[in-house]
Amino acid sequence: MPPPEGCPDRPPGPRRRPRTARHEGHPLAVRPLLRRAVRLLGATALTLAATLTTAGPAHADFGADYHDPYTATRPLTRPDTRSCTVEVMHDREFRNGYGSPPDTPYTATLTPPADCAGPWSAVVLDLHGEVAGRQFDRIFSVRIGGVQVLLSSTPEPSKDGIAWNVERDVTRYAPLLAAGPQPFSLDLANVTDATYTGVYRITASLTFYTTSDRWPAARTADRLLTTGPFSLTQAAPTATRDLTFPQNLERLTAEVYTRGGGACEEFAYASAPDAFVSANPSLGACGKGPFRELRLSVDGRVAGAVWPYPVIYTGGWDPLLWRPVPGIFAFDLPAYRLDLTPYVGLLLDGRPHTVGITVNASEAQSNDVWTGQMNLFADTDHGAARTTGQLTDHRVAPEAAVTTTLADHGGGSGDWTVTAARHDRARGWVQTSHGRITTEVRDDLAFRSAQQLRDGGNDVALHDATDLTRSTATSGGGPHRTTTVHEGEPLDVTYRVTRDAAGNTDQQTAMDLGYHREATAATGGHVTECTTVDHTLRPTAHRHDGDRTVRTGSSTEDYRGTGPDGPYHRTIGTVDGWPVP
């Protein structure tokens, strides 16, 4: 059966932002990486950062203050039912994550409220943070019952101080909460000293929403399993965990939280091919190229791949870019979801099975690592104690097909284009109490990075584009059902530093980030549900030192969405840290 058409009521316009000729054939970013490398590698990296005027976090540069972080993205739609809020952490300070003892992670016990007993229509995690002074952006994680439910980062503060909020729909983790009190942890490793004075203070609460006719109990998995935290490096690129699955398993979905950290891997999307790095050692450029994939495996068999979004935090490239609008996903990093249902037939024997995750490439410089956690959502057959099944078709590549073209112009200048692709298919059936259910999962993924480097890293242009299509088709036990998700993830960067004979330095940075998503569900070939997101962010920053001092920045963010809650559209603009009409 052919896949259903896209959203019938989608507003006119492109599904994904078209590529613009302005950046075609351009892109890299070695020197902007080095701003972060300075703080990680110390004095050995200082010579590599000579082109930058802001090697490290600073006060707001627009003055002593700027507007609290805010965004055009759609807020969560919350049920209008009776609710109960449980505050699990109040105004907790994160000052020194490496002290003796460290002040992280913060741990407590989360007890669902008896006055709002489950099942719930929704459960929402709310965080409120405050910080003042001078500080780097910091990554932090929230876990409930050992299961990761949020991966986030902090803003860099102004001297006078800022406050920010994060809301996270954690309804899908309700099976943990329904089991009773659970350990809660928030892990934020901060460092303070005479220079970096910012202390992060965070309050966390969960709100439990009861049900009504309009807001029925949310459908969630029957059981959650997790691999626990993983850490992947060039020396140890694979992590595994043995898990035992329910013997009446019917469907299985994985979600992966992950992010690259360290002097290079935080900026992996802007890395150079190894051949260019080897030919130009004086540049100090990061290698392994710009493509990263994390491959999931079941008993050693590759079962799917995650291509991480190029999240840029509030200290990335130039902090002025992100004051006050954070980069896309910077405060709520994605949890990448993969349908593993075709493999269910391999997991029903009651024995432990090895679930693994591997990164395709990573740098070996100080602190370079991919960290995260994998959660598995298991749906069981409520009408049978055991199910049976079989994987009948497995055409999943052991790794993506990657090609690299490189033109090294000498003198630290070069052009390269890196492409990657996957066209995977897996099919399997499960015999259940309501019939034999056959599931086919297809992934068609494409990546392209065109980069240009000139003037020893002082002139950089980068154009990355990722296009992902993932579909699941299910037959048996009723009409044919399909779900399809299209995602487009463009990133354009231009970065230029110049110096004149008088010693004046001028630095200009411009970015164009995007996230575009269309998700459809269909039954019998008729679309039954459709949601869309078109999110763009265009920040700029300008610094000048010498005959005059310039610190200026601006941004325009546009967010459009459609779905069951109706259409949504908001555009915001900022100049020098403050909103403009």
Side-chain angles (χ1 to χ4, degrees):
M1 177 178 293
E5 296 297 324
C7 299
D9 58 350
R10 183 180 178 89
R15 172 176 292 161
R16 305 178 183 91
R17 184 183 58 79
R19 297 177 180 175
T20 57
R22 180 170 59 93
H23 294 299
E24 191 63 24
H26 292 271
L28 163 72
V30 174
R31 294 295 177 175
L33 311 189
L34 302 177
R35 176 184 170 278
R36 189 61 56 92
V38 169
R39 75 196 201 206
L40 293 171
L41 300 180
T44 59
L46 290 177
T47 56
L48 304 180
T51 62
L52 295 176
T53 61
T54 56
H59 298 315
D61 284 329
F62 305 133
D65 201 10
Y66 65 91
H67 193 278
D68 288 344
Y70 80 123
T71 177
T73 56
R74 185 173 198 154
L76 290 180
T77 299
R78 305 191 184 214
D80 57 8
T81 61
R82 184 172 57 87
S83 63
C84 303
T85 298
V86 177
E87 186 176 78
V88 71
M89 183 172 76
H90 180 76
D91 207 24
R92 171 75 179 190
E93 288 190 350
F94 293 89
R95 185 182 299 272
N96 191 346
Y98 304 95
S100 183
D103 62 9
T104 192
Y106 168 84
T107 59
T109 298
L110 171 62
T111 301
D115 289 344
C116 292
W120 303 285
S121 57
V123 183
V124 176
L125 169 67
D126 287 291
L127 300 179
H128 174 77
E130 298 180 7
V131 63
R134 179 183 175 93
Q135 193 52 264
F136 291 117
D137 48 18
R138 304 290 183 182
I139 296 291
F140 67 93
S141 296
V142 176
R143 292 180 173 86
I144 298 174
V147 173
Q148 184 155 7
V149 302
L150 174 71
L151 180 59
S152 185
S153 70
T154 64
E156 291 194 356
S158 66
K159 181 178 180 181
D160 289 352
I162 57 171
W164 81 103
N165 298 293
V166 176
E167 58 176 9
R168 174 73 163 161
D169 186 340
V170 295
T171 310
R172 63 182 177 274
Y173 307 104
L176 289 174
L177 303 169
Q182 296 290 333
F184 172 94
S185 69
L186 192 151
D187 192 0
L188 194 167
N190 193 23
V191 175
T192 57
D193 53 28
T195 303
Y196 304 116
T197 58
V199 176
Y200 288 103
R201 297 167 54 179
I202 297 180
T203 295
S205 64
L206 283 94
T207 301
F208 297 78
Y209 294 88
T210 60
T211 63
S212 68
D213 290 343
R214 181 169 176 244
W215 295 97
R219 189 195 181 287
T220 63
D222 297 303
R223 183 175 169 188
L224 269 67
L225 302 92
T226 183
T227 62
F230 62 76
S231 180
L232 310 176
T233 65
Q234 189 180 103
T238 300
T240 61
R241 178 76 179 267
D242 287 345
L243 299 172
T244 302
F245 296 87
Q247 290 185 271
N248 62 342
L249 185 62
E250 184 173 332
R251 295 193 62 82
L252 185 65
T253 303
E255 72 171 8
V256 179
Y257 290 92
T258 189
R259 51 89 56 172
C264 287
E265 288 307 292
E266 180 176 329
F267 304 90
Y269 57 86
S271 293
D274 281 348
F276 183 82
V277 175
S278 298
N280 298 272
S282 63
L283 285 180
C286 295
K288 303 303 175 188
F291 174 69
R292 298 291 183 273
E293 77 169 5
L294 279 77
R295 296 187 286 269
L296 278 65
S297 64
V298 176
D299 290 336
R301 186 195 314 256
V302 176
V306 167
W307 292 4
Y309 185 88
V311 178
I312 304 174
Y313 310 109
T314 58
W317 295 74
D318 188 327
L320 298 183
L321 295 165
W322 319 113
R323 295 176 170 161
V325 179
I328 294 175
F329 296 127
F331 289 174
D332 189 359
L333 275 71
Y336 305 98
R337 297 178 72 84
L338 297 175
D339 193 334
L340 300 182
T341 303
Y343 304 91
V344 164
L346 306 176
L347 308 172
L348 301 173
D349 57 8
R351 299 175 181 175
H353 291 268
T354 302
V355 178
I357 190 162
T358 301
V359 67
N360 72 316
S362 65
E363 275 286 354
Q365 296 192 37
S366 174
N367 295 328
D368 278 328
V369 64
W370 283 86
T371 57
Q373 187 161 340
M374 188 194 317
N375 301 324
L376 295 159
F377 297 80
D379 289 307
T380 58
D381 185 350
H382 295 180
R386 297 195 64 169
T387 55
T388 58
Q390 184 178 351
L391 176 67
T392 57
D393 190 6
H394 181 262
R395 305 182 196 183
V396 180
E399 59 186 59
V402 181
T403 62
T404 300
T405 59
L406 169 64
D408 189 338
H409 306 304
S413 294
D415 301 88
W416 52 87
T417 299
V418 177
T419 62
R422 272 189 173 275
H423 303 285
D424 298 333
R425 182 174 74 179
R427 183 192 298 122
W429 57 263
V430 180
Q431 189 68 44
T432 72
S433 62
H434 43 278
R436 175 172 290 194
I437 310 299
T438 299
T439 301
E440 181 176 276
V441 174
R442 291 176 178 262
D443 291 340
D444 292 290
L445 318 180
F447 169 86
R448 183 179 187 274
S449 177
Q451 306 189 32
Q452 182 186 80
L453 180 66
R454 297 288 184 272
D455 193 21
N458 291 318
D459 188 348
V460 172
L462 176 153
H463 177 82
D464 285 359
T466 302
D467 291 287
L468 313 173
T469 300
R470 301 184 188 271
S471 64
T472 297
T474 304
S475 60
H480 185 87
R481 301 169 298 282
T482 61
T483 60
T484 303
V485 177
H486 302 282
E487 293 174 294
E489 301 172 352
L491 171 63
D492 293 331
V493 181
T494 58
Y495 173 85
R496 176 67 171 156
V497 175
T498 59
R499 291 183 179 82
D500 62 23
N504 300 306
T505 301
D506 194 83
Q507 174 182 313
Q508 299 195 45
T509 310
M511 291 195 178
D512 192 341
L513 302 83
Y515 177 70
H516 308 281
R517 185 177 191 269
E518 178 179 292
T520 58
T523 300
H526 300 288
V527 174
T528 57
E529 184 176 341
C530 183
T531 61
T532 66
V533 169
D534 288 293
H535 187 186
T536 59
L537 175 59
R538 298 180 177 92
T540 65
H542 181 202
R543 295 174 181 269
H544 186 94
D545 289 288
D547 53 5
R548 69 189 190 282
T549 298
V550 175
R551 298 289 186 272
T552 187
S554 66
S555 67
T556 300
E557 183 181 31
D558 186 85
Y559 186 99
R560 296 173 183 265
T562 62
D565 298 325
Y568 176 88
H569 181 211
R570 187 183 184 193
T571 301
I572 60 176
T574 68
V575 172
D576 294 348
W578 296 95
V580 295

